[in-house]
Structure formats: structure tokens, C-alpha cells
Amino acid sequence: MQTLRVVCYVNQFFGQLGGEEKAGVGPQVMAGAVGSARAVQQALGAAGTVVATVLCGDNYIAEQPETAVAELLSLIAAQQPDLVLAGPAFLAGRYGVACGALCAAVQAQLKVPAVSGMHEENPGVELYRRQVHIVPTGGEATRMLDEVRRMVALGLKLVRQEPLGTPAAEGFFTRGITH
């Protein structure tokens, strides 16, 4: 199989721009794996390449979600990805909501599989679990690589259109869909 083109979405903190003082930064794209997206590249191995990392400040997307998601979609579409991975957002609420909104839009408008990761108490889980495959994570980034590996494994199955087992077997939150 051809090497997959993967785009990662991260917030200003995980994109290494800064903390709350950079939360107002607008959408931007950086070539390759930047910040926490490097863990995605490591987890992908030979299966794919992180061709770009798109990032946006938490406040920017929280204050103007429709505009920010549209801008991010444009940046992602230009990269022609086979898969989009957002986060993981852990317990960061604004980040989780942004990851969910972006993944839902990527799937609906670009027709590209998208996966995120969040702690069960992140508000993004309840808002987007029915639309987006969300991998459960811990509350903090202490096991980033392990949690990203689970996101990547699920994303690869979706891209390859392999049948999925139960949410418990595949490692994602239930989506309320009965087969």
C-alpha cells in the first residue's frame, strides 16, 4: 500500500507556540510533524508521513468556531490527506471541543477519516462521540506516545476500510450506533 498522507491538528500549546498568551493565534500550517505531531509520526512508522501540522489557538477557535473550522479545513484540504488526527486533547476542554468540531467537519466535507483522543470528562466527548471516533486517553499528556499509537491504529483501520469490532475491542468511545 502507498504511504499515507497524514495531517495533524494541535492547539497552540502542543504546537509549541506558547500557552494562554498565544491562545488567540489564528489557524496556520507547518510542514511536517511539529510539536506533539512528532509522536504521530513515530507511531505511524512506515505506514504514513505527517505531511503537515495545522494549529490554532484555543481562544481563537472557541470564540469563532465556524470561521476557524472553515479556515482549518482549507489548510487541511490543501495537503490532500488520507487521514486527519486531532489532539489528543486529554482533559483540555476548549481543545477537545475544537478537535471534535474539526474532525466532524473533515469527515463531512472532505470525506477523509478523522480520529481524536480525549479524556472521558472532556466536553468534546459528549458533543462529538456520535460523529467522530474518539480514543479514550488519560487526563494528562504523560503517556502521549501510547495514546497516540491507539489513535493511529484506529485511523489506519478506518483509512483501509477494515471492519471495526465493538468500541471496547477497537478502543474508542461508544457512538450510540447499533449494528
Side-chain angles (χ1 to χ4, degrees):
M1 183 175 210
Q2 186 178 354
T3 302
L4 297 174
R5 295 176 58 84
V6 178
V7 171
C8 295
Y9 167 72
V10 298
N11 69 357
Q12 80 282 351
F13 178 76
F14 285 106
Q16 298 181 320
L17 289 181
E20 283 300 314
E21 75 281 0
K22 295 290 186 179
V25 71
Q28 51 191 270
V29 63
M30 298 179 165
V34 175
S36 62
R38 290 191 303 261
V40 172
Q41 183 59 67
Q42 185 176 348
L44 279 167
T49 300
V50 176
V51 294
T53 304
V54 294
L55 57 94
C56 185
D58 285 335
N59 286 348
Y60 186 93
I61 195 165
E63 293 168 1
Q64 48 193 334
E66 293 85 12
T67 300
V69 168
E71 292 171 351
L72 288 163
L73 273 177
S74 177
L75 295 174
I76 291 169
Q79 301 301 318
Q80 300 177 313
D82 300 304
L83 174 64
V84 173
L85 296 173
F90 306 105
L91 255 174
R94 292 174 300 171
Y95 188 21
V97 171
C99 287
L102 185 59
C103 285
V106 163
Q107 291 173 157
Q109 295 179 40
L110 302 182
K111 308 297 186 217
V112 171
V115 175
S116 188
M118 299 178 211
H119 186 274
E120 66 185 345
E121 293 179 16
N122 190 309
V125 173
E126 280 310 307
L127 287 170
Y128 292 101
R129 72 188 306 156
R130 288 179 183 15
Q131 301 163 273
V132 176
H133 288 93
I134 303 171
V135 173
T137 70
E140 299 174 357
T142 54
R143 291 187 303 254
M144 171 77 77
L145 185 57
D146 289 336
E147 292 170 340
V148 165
R149 281 186 178 126
R150 291 186 288 119
M151 289 172 57
V152 167
L154 180 58
L156 291 176
K157 284 190 98 164
L158 292 171
V159 168
R160 295 172 181 153
Q161 298 179 341
E162 296 174 7
L164 293 181
T166 65
E170 299 292 347
F172 60 90
F173 287 108
T174 59
R175 298 179 67 205
I177 300 170
T178 306
H179 294 280

